[in-house]
Amino acid sequence: MLQLEGIYKSYYRQKVLEDVSFDVPSGQIIGLLGPNGAGKTTLIRIINQIIEPDKGYLSLNGKRMTSEHLKNIGYLPEERGLYKTMTVENHALFLGQLRGLPKNDVQKQLDYWLEKFEIQGWRKKRIEELSKGMAQKVQFICTVLHDPDLLILDEPFSGFDPINVDLIRAELNAFRVAGKTIILSTHNMKSVEEICDRAVLIDKGKKIMEGAIHDIRSENKEGVFSITFTGNMIAFATALWAGYEIISKEVHNDTTFTVYLKMRGENEFNDLLTTLLPAVKIISAQEVLPSMEDVFMKKINAGKEVEHA
Amino acid sequence: MRKIQLIAQRELKERISSRSFLLTALLGPLFVLGLVYALFSLGGSEKQHWNVLIMDKTEIMENKIAPKQDPRFTFHFINEFVEYDQFATLEQFKDYDLAVLINEKIISNKQVIVSYRELPSESIQRRLIYHVERRFEEIMVKQFTDLEVSKFREIKQSMNFSFKNTSDPKNEINHKAAWVGYVFGIGILLFVFLFGMTILRGVAHEKSNRVVEVLLASVHPRQLLTGKVIGVGVTALVQFVLWGLIIGVGLYLFRQTFFPDLLDPTLLVEQMSQDVAQQALDKFALTARNYNDFVDLVYRDIHFTNMLLFFVLFFLGAYFFYGSFFAMIGSAMGSESDGQQYIIPISIVLVLSILSGYYVIYHPQTSLAEILGYLPFTSPVVMMIELSRGFSEGDVWKIYFSLFLIFLAGFILFRLAGRIYKNGILQFGHRLKFRLIIRWLKIS
C-alpha cells in the first residue's frame, strides 16, 4: 500500500529523520512508535505532504505520491483543532470538500456517521458548545468522511473516555476488515498490542525496529515462563532445584499461585512440566512474551547505552 | 483553485456572520453620517457679509446693481482694472472680499471673472451671479431691445462666471480638494490596518488551536494563505459596499429631507428670479447661516465615482502589501500574544504614511512628494491626494504607474509571506525573533 524509501529530513542542520524506510501493507494497522522527539510527527507530516523530505520518496499503491493522492488519506493529528464558531455540519462540509468530496457526498457521509455514533442532534451545534470528547468525535468523523484508503491517526484515543476508546477501536477494526490501512502513532502500548498488526519503532530519527507485533515480542522474549498451579508453594519450590530461577510470584489465594521463572542450562519447557507435575496441580503453563512496552523500553534504553558507550 | 475558493468562502462567511462585522458595517457609516449631519447643522464659518468690488472700467453698469438691497452684500464700484496680485496684496483693497471684473466686451463675450480671498459657498456664488445678471438684463433691455425685462429673460443668454482665488488665480493650490483625497487615503490605511489585523489574528488563531495542521493535510500552505487573504479582502470589499450604500443613501436623504433648500441653491435662485425676490432673500438670509464649506465639499467637490474607484484599487494594492506583513507575523508567532511587538513597527509605518500625506498637501510640487507617490508604503494616501487635486492629461500615467508599483510590491511581499507562512506555520512554542524570520525566508 504505502512505501517509504530512504526518507531524510533536517531542520537547520539538525537531522530529524535519517534513512527511514518501511512498507505499510494493505488492510493492516501499523503502530508507529517512538519516544517524544523521535521524528514520528515529522514522518507523518511527510506522508501527508505537509512538509517535503530532503531526500527519499514515498509511493502509494506502487505510484510515486503526489498531491492527487491526498484525497485517499485521512489524517487526525495529535494536536487537533476545529473552528469553534462553525457548526458540526459546516465544519464537515468544509473539510470534506477540501478533501475533494462533492457537497452531496459529504452530507450523505455525515448522515451515516452521525447516525452510527448516535449523535444526529449535534449537526447544528457549534463546536464551542461541545465538550472535549464530543469535539474529538467530530474530528474523527471529519477524518474519515471522505472514506480514505489510508488513515493516519496521531494519538487517536487521547481525550476519550473508555467507552469512546472502545467505540473508536471498534471502528478501526471495522476499517481493517474493510481493507483500509491505518498508521497509528501512539504512546499507549496496550493499544498497540491489542489492535496493531505490525509496528515500526523510531528513535532519534532512525528506524530501529519493524515487524509483526507477535514477531517483535517473540524476537525479544527472554525465556520467562508462567506457571499457575494449586498446591503448596514450598512443595513447588522444592521440586525446582538448581535448573530454574524464580523471578516473581502472584498469590491468588492460600493454595493458588502464579510463578514466573526462567530456565537455566539446557532445561526446556517439557523438563519443567515433568519436574512439577508430581509436586503440584498445574492449571496453566506458558511462555511469557514481553509486552510492547517492555520491548519499547528495552530498545530505547539500549540505544541510550550505546550512545553513552 | 477550488480549494482556495473554499477557504476564501469560509473566511468570508465567518467574518460576515460575526457581530463585529455587522457592528462596524452599521455603526461606522452611521457615525460618519452623524458627523456629517452635525457639521451641516452646526453651520459654518462662512462670512455673513461680503464686500464686493466691481471693477467696471467702461462704467457699463453705471455704478448700479440690484434694485433691492441684499443684506449679504455691499457693492463698491471702481472704474479701473486691478490685477490679481494687486487685489491680493494692496492695502487699499484689503477690505474687499470679492472682486468682479466686468470686461470691456462683456456684452458680446458674456465672461465675468470673480476673484475671492475666501471661496464663497455655492449659494453665495449663486446670489452674486443673480445680482450681476439682473443688472445686465436691465442694461441689455434698455440699450438693445424694446422688450419687457421678463420677456427678455426668456430669450437671453446666460453669462459665464468663473471664480478664481486671488492668491492662486490659476487654481494651482487646491487644499480643500487635497484634504478630500487625504481623508480617502487615511480611510484606505485604516481599513488596511483593520483587515490586516484580521489576517494576523486569523492566522495566529488557526495556528494556536492547531486546526492548521488538519487543513495543511488537504491544501498547500500557499493555497491556505491565498484563500485567507482573498476571503478577508472580499469581506473588506463587502464592508466598503455597505458603507458606501448607507452613507450614499444617508446623504441623499439629508438632501431630500433635512436640508432641501440649503443644498439646492438653484432652487433659491429660481425663487428669487420671480417677483418674490425680497421674500426669498429674507428666507435665504436665515437658512444661509447653515451653509458652509463642508456642504460644498460633500455635494460638489468630491468626484465620488473616480475617488471610490481608485479608493478600491489602492485599497487592494495596500491590502496585499501590508496584509502580507500581517500574515508573516501571524504565521511566525510562537504563541498568540508573541507577535504584538512586531505590530508596533507596522503601525509606525502606517502613521508615517498618514504624515507623508500631510506633507504632500502643503508641498505638492516637491521631488519628495513625487517619490512618496510611488513608494508602496505611502502611495495610497499621496495618490488619493493627487487624484482629488486632479491630474493634467499628460500626468495621468503617474497614478497608473503608482498602482502598478504597489501591486508589484504587494505581489513580491505576498510571495515572501508565503515562504515564511510555509516554514513558520507549524513551528510552535518559540520566541519570535527577526533572525528566525530571515532563516525561514531563506528556505524555499
Side-chain angles (χ1 to χ4, degrees), chain A residues 70-192:
Chain A
L70 284 176
K71 59 175 181 275
N72 299 321
I73 300 176
Y75 175 41
L76 183 70
E78 181 181 7
E79 299 276 5
R80 43 202 176 247
L82 297 166
Y83 290 110
K84 295 201 180 334
T85 53
M86 286 177 92
T87 62
V88 170
E89 182 178 36
N90 285 341
H91 219 300
L93 278 171
F94 176 57
L95 292 177
Q97 288 183 95
L98 272 187
R99 284 288 190 185
L101 214 59
K103 194 173 176 180
N104 286 343
D105 291 359
V106 180
Q107 292 279 17
K108 279 180 202 160
Q109 284 289 317
L110 183 64
D111 288 342
Y112 169 80
W113 283 102
L114 291 178
E115 198 179 326
K116 190 171 182 104
F117 284 171
E118 297 173 352
I119 52 173
Q120 294 96 321
W122 294 10
R123 181 186 281 271
K124 299 288 177 194
K125 274 189 192 285
R126 286 152 74 103
I127 301 296
E128 60 196 356
E129 295 173 66
L130 306 179
S131 70
K132 190 184 174 193
M134 290 157 89
Q136 298 269 70
K137 250 185 199 173
V138 174
Q139 280 156 340
F140 181 80
I141 291 173
C142 289
T143 306
V144 298
L145 212 53
H146 56 295
D147 195 25
D149 294 326
L150 174 63
L151 262 178
I152 302 170
L153 310 172
D154 201 349
E155 294 292 354
F157 307 116
S158 73
F160 279 125
D161 59 37
I163 294 170
N164 281 315
V165 166
D166 270 356
L167 185 76
I168 299 297
R169 197 176 283 173
E171 286 310 321
L172 296 186
N173 275 321
F175 277 124
R176 171 169 46 193
V177 170
K180 313 280 185 193
T181 308
I182 300 167
I183 297 177
L184 186 72
S185 172
T186 180
H187 290 116
N188 186 339
M189 296 300 152
K190 197 161 173 287
S191 298
V192 174

Side-chain angles (χ1 to χ4, degrees), chain B residues 341-377:
Chain B
Q341 55 184 318
Y342 285 85
I343 295 167
I344 296 168
I346 298 183
S347 309
I348 291 172
V349 171
L350 284 166
V351 170
L352 285 177
S353 309
I354 291 171
L355 289 177
S356 71
Y358 191 78
Y359 171 83
V360 170
I361 287 175
Y362 290 102
H363 306 89
Q365 303 298 334
T366 58
S367 50
L368 179 60
E370 182 106 339
I371 292 167
L372 289 172
Y374 299 127
L375 279 182
F377 293 100

Side-chain angles (χ1 to χ4, degrees), chain A residues 11-12 41 45 48 50 52 70 75 77 79-86 91 94-95 97-99, chain B residues 2-3 6-7 10 14 206 209-211 213-219 426-428 439-440 443:
Chain A
Y11 287 122
Y12 324 121
T41 301
R45 284 178 181 168
N48 277 295
I50 295 173
E52 291 166 12
L70 284 176
Y75 175 41
E79 299 276 5
R80 43 202 176 247
L82 297 166
Y83 290 110
K84 295 201 180 334
T85 53
M86 286 177 92
H91 219 300
F94 176 57
L95 292 177
Q97 288 183 95
L98 272 187
R99 284 288 190 185
Chain B
R2 170 79 183 134
K3 289 179 178 178
L6 282 169
I7 292 160
R10 197 207 73 80
E14 181 168 310
E206 277 173 1
N209 86 355
R210 308 297 170 101
V211 73
E213 185 145 3
V214 179
L215 300 178
L216 289 177
S218 302
V219 298
L426 289 174
Q427 306 289 327
F428 304 99
R439 188 190 281 174
W440 287 338
I443 305 169

Side-chain angles (χ1 to χ4, degrees), chain B residues 234-245:
Chain B
V234 174
T235 311
L237 291 179
V238 173
Q239 183 85 261
F240 288 156
V241 171
L242 289 175
W243 276 56
L245 283 176

